[in-house]
Amino acid sequence: MKILIIGKNSFIAQNFISKYSNKNKFFYFNLHFTDNYKNYIKKILLFVKKNKINHIINFAGNNDNSIFLNTNKNILRDNFIFPLTLVELFNKQRINFTFFLSSEIEKIENSKENSLYALSKFFLQDSLKFISKRNKISLIKIDNVYGPRDLNFNRLIPSLMLKLLFKKKKIKIRLNQQKKLIYVKNLLPIIFKTIKNKKPFNVVNVKGKNINILNLWHNINKTLRNKHERSTKNNVFSNFFETLEWYKDNLW
Protein backbone atom coordinates (compact mmCIF):
# COMPACT_ATOMS: atom_id res chain seq x y z
CA MET A 1 0.00 0.00 0.00
CA LYS A 2 1.39 3.38 -1.05
CA ILE A 3 -0.02 6.21 1.08
CA LEU A 4 0.17 9.90 0.33
CA ILE A 5 0.26 12.15 3.39
CA ILE A 6 -1.00 15.70 2.84
CA GLY A 7 -0.37 18.11 5.73
CA LYS A 8 2.60 16.31 7.24
CA ASN A 9 3.30 19.25 9.59
CA SER A 10 0.05 18.65 11.45
CA PHE A 11 0.85 17.34 14.92
CA ILE A 12 -1.56 14.44 14.36
CA ALA A 13 0.25 13.63 11.11
CA GLN A 14 3.63 13.75 12.84
CA ASN A 15 2.48 11.26 15.47
CA PHE A 16 0.96 9.05 12.77
CA ILE A 17 4.12 9.08 10.65
CA SER A 18 6.30 8.33 13.69
CA LYS A 19 4.19 5.30 14.58
CA TYR A 20 3.58 3.75 11.16
CA SER A 21 6.33 4.89 8.76
CA ASN A 22 8.43 1.76 9.38
CA LYS A 23 5.56 -0.49 8.32
CA ASN A 24 4.23 1.43 5.32
CA LYS A 25 5.38 3.33 2.28
CA PHE A 26 4.53 6.99 2.90
CA PHE A 27 4.82 9.77 0.33
CA TYR A 28 4.58 13.49 1.02
CA PHE A 29 3.27 16.32 -1.13
CA ASN A 30 4.32 19.74 0.16
CA LEU A 31 2.90 22.20 -2.37
CA HIS A 32 0.22 24.40 -0.81
CA PHE A 33 -3.32 24.51 -2.19
CA THR A 34 -4.14 28.14 -3.09
CA ASP A 35 -6.99 30.05 -4.64
CA ASN A 36 -5.28 29.78 -8.02
CA TYR A 37 -4.87 26.02 -7.80
CA LYS A 38 -4.43 24.97 -11.44
CA ASN A 39 -0.70 24.48 -10.91
CA TYR A 40 -1.36 22.46 -7.74
CA ILE A 41 -3.83 20.17 -9.53
CA LYS A 42 -1.42 19.49 -12.35
CA LYS A 43 1.49 18.66 -10.05
CA ILE A 44 -0.38 16.47 -7.58
CA LEU A 45 -1.97 14.51 -10.42
CA LEU A 46 1.47 13.77 -11.89
CA PHE A 47 2.86 12.96 -8.43
CA VAL A 48 0.12 10.44 -7.63
CA LYS A 49 0.36 8.71 -11.01
CA LYS A 50 4.16 8.56 -10.92
CA ASN A 51 4.25 7.00 -7.44
CA LYS A 52 1.17 4.79 -7.96
CA ILE A 53 -0.54 6.06 -4.82
CA ASN A 54 -3.39 3.90 -3.45
CA HIS A 55 -4.63 6.00 -0.53
CA ILE A 56 -4.54 9.68 0.44
CA ILE A 57 -4.82 10.88 4.04
CA ASN A 58 -5.49 14.61 4.26
CA PHE A 59 -4.25 15.97 7.60
CA ALA A 60 -4.22 19.52 6.24
CA GLY A 61 -6.97 21.83 7.42
CA ASN A 62 -7.90 25.24 8.70
CA ASN A 63 -9.16 24.92 12.26
CA ASP A 64 -9.99 28.53 13.09
CA ASN A 65 -13.37 27.96 14.76
CA SER A 66 -13.97 31.57 15.75
CA ILE A 67 -17.55 32.81 15.43
CA PHE A 68 -16.14 35.98 13.84
CA LEU A 69 -15.79 35.38 10.11
CA ASN A 70 -12.43 36.23 8.59
CA THR A 71 -12.31 35.96 4.82
CA ASN A 72 -8.52 35.91 4.89
CA LYS A 73 -8.51 32.56 6.64
CA ASN A 74 -9.72 30.64 3.55
CA ILE A 75 -11.57 28.18 5.74
CA LEU A 76 -14.05 27.06 3.08
CA ARG A 77 -11.27 26.66 0.53
CA ASP A 78 -9.08 24.53 2.80
CA ASN A 79 -11.73 22.42 4.55
CA PHE A 80 -14.36 22.07 1.84
CA ILE A 81 -13.19 22.92 -1.68
CA PHE A 82 -9.80 21.21 -1.37
CA PRO A 83 -11.06 17.74 -0.31
CA LEU A 84 -13.81 17.82 -2.95
CA THR A 85 -11.24 18.77 -5.57
CA LEU A 86 -9.11 15.78 -4.61
CA VAL A 87 -12.04 13.38 -4.87
CA GLU A 88 -13.06 14.75 -8.25
CA LEU A 89 -9.47 14.72 -9.51
CA PHE A 90 -8.85 11.07 -8.66
CA ASN A 91 -12.31 9.64 -9.27
CA LYS A 92 -11.23 7.70 -12.35
CA GLN A 93 -8.09 6.38 -10.62
CA ARG A 94 -10.21 5.11 -7.73
CA ILE A 95 -7.82 6.50 -5.16
CA ASN A 96 -9.23 6.05 -1.64
CA PHE A 97 -9.29 8.79 0.98
CA THR A 98 -9.29 9.58 4.67
CA PHE A 99 -10.63 13.01 5.67
CA PHE A 100 -11.33 14.57 9.06
CA LEU A 101 -14.58 16.06 10.33
CA SER A 102 -15.19 17.82 13.64
CA SER A 103 -17.77 17.55 16.41
CA GLU A 104 -18.15 21.31 15.85
CA ILE A 105 -20.65 20.28 13.15
CA GLU A 106 -23.17 19.71 15.95
CA LYS A 107 -23.15 23.45 16.72
CA ILE A 108 -24.28 24.74 13.32
CA GLU A 109 -27.91 25.15 14.38
CA ASN A 110 -26.90 27.28 17.36
CA SER A 111 -26.33 30.86 16.17
CA LYS A 112 -24.25 31.67 19.26
CA GLU A 113 -21.84 28.77 18.77
CA ASN A 114 -21.88 28.30 15.01
CA SER A 115 -18.76 29.12 13.00
CA LEU A 116 -17.50 29.07 9.45
CA TYR A 117 -15.22 26.21 10.49
CA ALA A 118 -18.21 24.10 11.57
CA LEU A 119 -20.03 24.95 8.35
CA SER A 120 -17.03 24.00 6.22
CA LYS A 121 -16.92 20.54 7.80
CA PHE A 122 -20.70 20.16 7.50
CA PHE A 123 -20.57 21.07 3.79
CA LEU A 124 -17.82 18.50 3.26
CA GLN A 125 -19.75 15.74 4.99
CA ASP A 126 -23.00 16.34 3.11
CA SER A 127 -21.36 16.88 -0.28
CA LEU A 128 -19.43 13.62 -0.11
CA LYS A 129 -22.63 11.77 0.72
CA PHE A 130 -24.32 12.71 -2.52
CA ILE A 131 -21.72 13.30 -5.23
CA SER A 132 -21.07 10.50 -7.69
CA LYS A 133 -17.76 8.83 -6.86
CA ARG A 134 -15.91 5.55 -7.25
CA ASN A 135 -13.53 6.18 -4.39
CA LYS A 136 -13.84 4.61 -0.97
CA ILE A 137 -13.95 7.50 1.49
CA SER A 138 -13.55 7.49 5.27
CA LEU A 139 -14.54 10.49 7.37
CA ILE A 140 -13.23 10.60 10.94
CA LYS A 141 -15.37 12.82 13.14
CA ILE A 142 -13.42 13.91 16.20
CA ASP A 143 -13.55 16.05 19.32
CA ASN A 144 -10.50 18.08 20.41
CA VAL A 145 -7.24 16.16 20.04
CA TYR A 146 -4.21 16.73 22.29
CA GLY A 147 -0.82 15.18 22.82
CA PRO A 148 2.91 15.39 22.03
CA ARG A 149 4.17 17.51 19.11
CA ASP A 150 1.31 20.02 19.21
CA LEU A 151 2.94 23.46 19.02
CA ASN A 152 -0.22 25.48 18.42
CA PHE A 153 -0.33 27.42 21.68
CA ASN A 154 -3.67 28.94 20.84
CA ARG A 155 -5.13 25.55 21.75
CA LEU A 156 -6.10 24.65 25.29
CA ILE A 157 -3.75 21.79 26.19
CA PRO A 158 -0.55 23.26 24.67
CA SER A 159 -1.20 26.52 26.52
CA LEU A 160 -1.89 24.52 29.69
CA MET A 161 1.46 22.76 29.28
CA LEU A 162 3.16 26.16 28.96
CA LYS A 163 1.45 27.36 32.11
CA LEU A 164 2.72 24.32 34.01
CA LEU A 165 6.29 24.70 32.76
CA PHE A 166 6.56 28.49 33.02
CA LYS A 167 4.69 29.32 36.19
CA LYS A 168 6.26 32.75 36.54
CA LYS A 169 4.80 33.89 33.22
CA LYS A 170 1.22 35.11 33.02
CA ILE A 171 -0.50 32.70 30.65
CA LYS A 172 -4.25 33.23 30.67
CA ILE A 173 -6.37 30.08 30.47
CA ARG A 174 -10.01 29.59 31.38
CA LEU A 175 -9.60 26.67 33.75
CA ASN A 176 -13.21 26.49 34.85
CA GLN A 177 -14.55 24.49 31.89
CA GLN A 178 -15.29 21.00 30.62
CA LYS A 179 -13.70 19.71 27.41
CA LYS A 180 -14.11 16.52 25.41
CA LEU A 181 -10.55 15.48 24.66
CA ILE A 182 -8.97 12.68 22.63
CA TYR A 183 -5.40 11.61 23.27
CA VAL A 184 -3.62 11.60 19.91
CA LYS A 185 -2.06 8.16 20.41
CA ASN A 186 -5.52 6.65 20.87
CA LEU A 187 -6.60 8.18 17.56
CA LEU A 188 -3.73 6.79 15.46
CA PRO A 189 -4.94 3.15 15.13
CA ILE A 190 -8.37 4.43 14.07
CA ILE A 191 -6.79 6.50 11.30
CA PHE A 192 -4.70 3.54 10.19
CA LYS A 193 -7.72 1.26 10.07
CA THR A 194 -9.41 3.52 7.49
CA ILE A 195 -6.69 2.62 4.99
CA LYS A 196 -8.27 -0.83 4.80
CA ASN A 197 -11.82 0.49 4.56
CA LYS A 198 -13.97 -1.42 2.03
CA LYS A 199 -17.10 0.71 2.33
CA PRO A 200 -17.87 3.37 -0.33
CA PHE A 201 -18.65 5.87 2.42
CA ASN A 202 -17.55 5.32 6.00
CA VAL A 203 -18.08 7.74 8.90
CA VAL A 204 -16.13 6.97 12.09
CA ASN A 205 -17.15 8.83 15.25
CA VAL A 206 -14.37 9.21 17.81
CA LYS A 207 -15.62 10.64 21.08
CA GLY A 208 -13.33 12.31 23.57
CA LYS A 209 -13.37 11.91 27.34
CA ASN A 210 -15.12 14.67 29.21
CA ILE A 211 -12.36 16.36 31.23
CA ASN A 212 -12.77 18.96 33.96
CA ILE A 213 -9.85 21.28 33.18
CA LEU A 214 -9.69 22.81 36.65
CA ASN A 215 -9.57 19.35 38.21
CA LEU A 216 -6.88 18.36 35.72
CA TRP A 217 -4.84 21.44 36.65
CA HIS A 218 -5.06 20.72 40.38
CA ASN A 219 -4.26 17.02 39.93
CA ILE A 220 -1.13 17.60 37.85
CA ASN A 221 0.15 20.34 40.17
CA LYS A 222 -0.44 18.20 43.25
CA THR A 223 1.47 15.29 41.72
CA LEU A 224 4.36 17.50 40.62
CA ARG A 225 4.51 19.31 43.96
CA ASN A 226 4.49 16.15 46.08
CA LYS A 227 6.69 14.19 43.68
CA HIS A 228 4.25 11.31 43.66
CA GLU A 229 4.94 8.28 41.54
CA ARG A 230 3.73 8.88 37.97
CA SER A 231 0.13 7.90 37.35
CA THR A 232 -0.54 4.39 36.11
CA LYS A 233 -1.89 3.62 32.65
CA ASN A 234 -5.34 3.20 34.13
CA ASN A 235 -5.33 6.70 35.53
CA VAL A 236 -7.27 9.22 33.43
CA PHE A 237 -4.46 11.75 33.89
CA SER A 238 -1.56 9.54 32.72
CA ASN A 239 -1.80 10.75 29.11
CA PHE A 240 -1.49 14.35 30.28
CA PHE A 241 1.67 13.53 32.23
CA GLU A 242 3.12 11.84 29.16
CA THR A 243 2.24 14.93 27.11
CA LEU A 244 3.83 17.21 29.73
CA GLU A 245 7.02 15.15 29.61
CA TRP A 246 7.23 15.65 25.84
CA TYR A 247 6.92 19.43 26.22
CA LYS A 248 9.46 19.41 29.01
CA ASP A 249 11.97 17.47 26.88
CA ASN A 250 11.38 19.24 23.57
CA LEU A 251 10.08 22.75 24.15
CA TRP A 252 13.44 24.24 25.09
Side-chain angles (χ1 to χ4, degrees):
M1 180 73 72
K2 293 183 176 181
I3 303 163
L4 175 60
I5 303 291
I6 297 177
K8 69 175 185 179
N9 291 328
S10 155
F11 93 95
I12 300 177
Q14 289 181 34
N15 280 278
F16 184 80
I17 292 165
S18 177
K19 182 175 177 64
Y20 292 110
S21 60
N22 292 333
K23 302 176 183 178
N24 298 273
K25 185 68 173 178
F26 287 161
F27 295 82
Y28 308 98
F29 191 75
N30 298 319
L31 188 64
H32 186 63
F33 184 80
T34 62
D35 291 324
N36 183 13
Y37 51 79
K38 288 184 179 180
N39 185 49
Y40 181 97
I41 295 302
K42 181 180 179 181
K43 289 188 176 182
I44 194 171
L45 182 61
L46 291 173
F47 184 90
V48 167
K49 286 183 176 180
K50 178 183 177 181
N51 295 290
K52 298 180 180 179
I53 299 297
N54 307 112
H55 195 101
I56 297 175
I57 305 179
N58 179 35
F59 289 96
N62 191 324
N63 65 350
D64 183 353
N65 57 4
S66 170
I67 61 173
F68 302 104
L69 304 185
N70 187 338
T71 55
N72 294 326
K73 292 294 185 179
N74 296 310
I75 295 174
L76 285 175
R77 182 198 68 189
D78 298 341
N79 296 342
F80 173 53
I81 297 173
F82 175 51
L84 285 185
T85 302
L86 288 177
V87 173
E88 181 180 356
L89 183 63
F90 297 114
N91 187 286
K92 293 181 180 179
Q93 284 77 33
R94 299 191 181 187
I95 305 295
N96 298 328
F97 295 94
T98 299
F99 297 122
F100 292 88
L101 297 179
S102 169
S103 59
E104 294 288 318
I105 288 175
E106 298 166 5
K107 299 179 180 180
I108 62 172
E109 294 184 1
N110 187 331
S111 60
K112 293 182 179 179
E113 295 184 325
N114 192 9
S115 66
L116 189 57
Y117 171 75
L119 285 171
S120 69
K121 294 295 186 178
F122 174 77
F123 290 156
L124 176 63
Q125 174 185 261
D126 267 30
S127 297
L128 290 175
K129 281 182 182 178
F130 299 111
I131 65 171
S132 177
K133 56 188 178 298
R134 297 180 183 178
N135 321 79
K136 292 179 175 62
I137 297 176
S138 292
L139 297 175
I140 304 178
K141 186 178 179 181
I142 54 177
D143 289 312
N144 297 287
V145 182
Y146 74 96
R149 303 174 188 266
D150 187 358
L151 297 177
N152 184 346
F153 295 105
N154 290 320
R155 285 198 274 259
L156 174 62
I157 298 305
S159 61
L160 189 71
M161 296 296 108
L162 278 184
K163 192 173 180 68
L164 286 163
L165 291 173
F166 301 98
K167 292 185 178 180
K168 292 183 179 180
K169 293 190 176 183
K170 294 182 179 179
I171 300 172
K172 293 183 179 180
I173 301 174
R174 185 165 64 88
L175 294 173
N176 191 21
Q177 61 174 307
Q178 299 279 131
K179 274 286 185 181
K180 290 185 177 180
L181 299 173
I182 302 166
Y183 187 45
V184 66
K185 293 185 179 180
N186 295 333
L187 178 63
L188 303 182
I190 297 171
I191 299 172
F192 184 74
K193 190 176 179 180
T194 64
I195 298 171
K196 302 177 181 179
N197 170 45
K198 301 299 181 182
K199 298 178 182 178
F201 189 74
N202 182 36
V203 179
V204 183
N205 286 291
V206 186
K207 295 292 185 180
K209 290 185 177 180
N210 201 21
I211 301 295
N212 183 304
I213 302 302
L214 184 59
N215 188 32
L216 172 65
W217 170 259
H218 288 320
N219 185 285
I220 293 177
N221 273 289
K222 181 179 178 181
T223 303
L224 294 175
R225 185 169 56 251
N226 296 331
K227 298 182 180 180
H228 288 171
E229 185 178 348
R230 181 180 293 190
S231 303
T232 66
K233 291 183 179 180
N234 294 326
N235 191 304
V236 68
F237 299 113
S238 61
N239 294 333
F240 292 98
F241 283 108
E242 185 176 335
T243 301
L244 181 62
E245 285 298 316
W246 183 88
Y247 282 95
K248 184 179 179 180
D249 293 339
N250 293 276
L251 197 59
W252 312 112

